[in-house]
Amino acid sequence: AQRLTGLIAATYTPLGADGQLRLQQVPQMVEHLLGSGVSGLYVCGSTGEGMSLTSEERRKTAEAYVHATDGRVPVIIQVGHNSVAEARQLAAHAQEIGADAVSATCPSYFKIQTAELLVDCMREIAGGAPDLPFYYYHIPALTGSAIDILRFMTLGAQQIPNLFGLKYTDTKLHEFQQCLQLENQRFDVVWGCDEMLLGALASGSTGAIGSTYNIAAPLYLQIIEAFEAGDWVEARALQNQAIEMINAIGTFPFHSAMKAILGMLGYDFGTCRLPQRALSADETIRLRQLLEKVGFF
Ligand code: NAY
């Protein structure tokens, strides 16, 4: 399998006014993303509200993105679930429909305390899609499991045949850098914090998965370009623009605000499902004003 490179958009899941899936919006979004320079899709993650969908909805959403993408860029399906058995079935489905990779969070209701136990969970899930590369999705702020990620990857290298990499969604750049070095740099470690992309590039990142790549891929591609050209002043100024944009969005419930922005851009993806709340009409106006102030619109 090939490593992921460039910007991977963590896709949104389109919902209608009735709160149900509205997957006819997917092809148009995929064209927008590929046209804006995105080089992969990460489906049903945090951004895609994977945890708020039924398994049937997750399968349909995965199918819609895989079919619309039609092999042009890699599509990774996030299958994490509190039920390890359910996650394994979702992984098997991802392999069946021709996805390019599978990724999973750990169960999070019962907290995982040790790297050994996490290996047991992930071996079970990754085994559902034995022919696909598997990426553990490390996002301790949301799962609440504080395991030693370096130890997990070291053990996983021996015990999970298709463990290919890691989606690293934490802010510890030094730990991220060490993950890249592990086992003779064997793992594809993908960065997950858009506001720190430049720092991650400096630490050796070659791929990043994020939500704001849905709306601002060209800005982030400019950061990568400036970084590669060694133009640090420019790279910092561009990253600063991204930070200001993210801070404006983060004034509101993040993913609901992102879905509101998609609407402003002409992609009606509805709003987020419970337990996330929608923005009020007034908040949507303020969001637009804040984004105008930072130069996004
Ligand atoms: C996903 O959808 O699974 C992700 O890729 C998560 C990455 C995002 N983190 C969260 C918690 O949503 O893109 C980031 C994040 O939205 C961004 O850095 C702004 O904080």
Side-chain angles (χ1 to χ4, degrees), residues 56-272:
E56 185 55 21
E57 289 171 328
R58 289 174 74 161
R59 285 190 282 268
K60 285 187 178 152
T61 303
E63 283 166 22
Y65 273 106
V66 167
H67 291 155
T69 304
D70 197 22
R72 288 174 290 172
V73 296
V75 180
I76 307 106
I77 309 296
Q78 199 288 119
V79 302
H81 199 288
N82 269 318
S83 158
V84 168
E86 194 76 17
R88 184 181 167 99
Q89 285 179 16
L90 289 169
H93 173 261
Q95 179 170 308
E96 254 168 56
I97 64 170
D100 300 279
V102 166
S103 180
T105 52
C106 60
S108 59
Y109 180 74
F110 292 118
K111 303 301 174 215
I112 296 188
Q113 311 283 2
T114 65
E116 284 76 3
L117 210 48
L118 183 58
V119 168
D120 290 343
C121 293
M122 292 303 133
R123 192 187 321 106
E124 192 64 24
I125 297 171
D131 301 338
L132 293 186
F134 180 81
Y135 291 78
Y136 174 58
Y137 181 1
H138 181 56
I139 181 160
L142 290 187
T143 62
S145 284
I147 53 102
D148 177 345
I149 191 65
L150 291 158
R151 182 167 164 74
F152 165 74
M153 294 303 283
T154 306
L155 294 173
Q158 315 304 323
Q159 299 182 37
I160 306 173
N162 53 339
L163 181 64
F164 194 78
L166 178 62
K167 167 161 151 48
Y168 188 92
T169 307
D170 200 352
T171 53
K172 298 175 192 152
L173 271 177
H174 61 294
E175 191 181 64
F176 170 72
Q177 187 171 338
Q178 280 190 294
C179 288
L180 282 166
Q181 294 306 318
L182 274 180
E183 306 279 321
N184 264 330
Q185 308 182 6
R186 118 168 208 188
F187 291 118
D188 187 13
V189 187
V190 188
W191 182 252
C193 191
D194 315 1
E195 51 277 68
M196 295 173 70
L197 178 64
L198 180 57
L201 292 170
S203 301
S205 166
T206 51
I209 299 174
S211 61
T212 61
Y213 307 148
N214 285 277
I215 59 164
L219 171 62
Y220 291 101
L221 287 174
Q222 280 182 282
I223 297 174
I224 295 172
E225 207 176 295
F227 168 77
E228 285 174 349
D231 188 346
W232 286 96
V233 174
E234 176 72 1
R236 262 185 227 123
L238 292 162
Q239 180 70 65
N240 209 49
Q241 275 184 42
I243 294 169
E244 285 178 2
M245 174 188 75
I246 289 170
N247 287 348
I249 301 167
T251 309
F252 305 97
F254 196 89
H255 292 301
S256 304
M258 282 290 297
K259 280 188 148 180
I261 297 169
L262 290 182
M264 295 173 201
L265 294 173
Y267 306 98
D268 184 4
F269 267 48
T271 188
C272 290

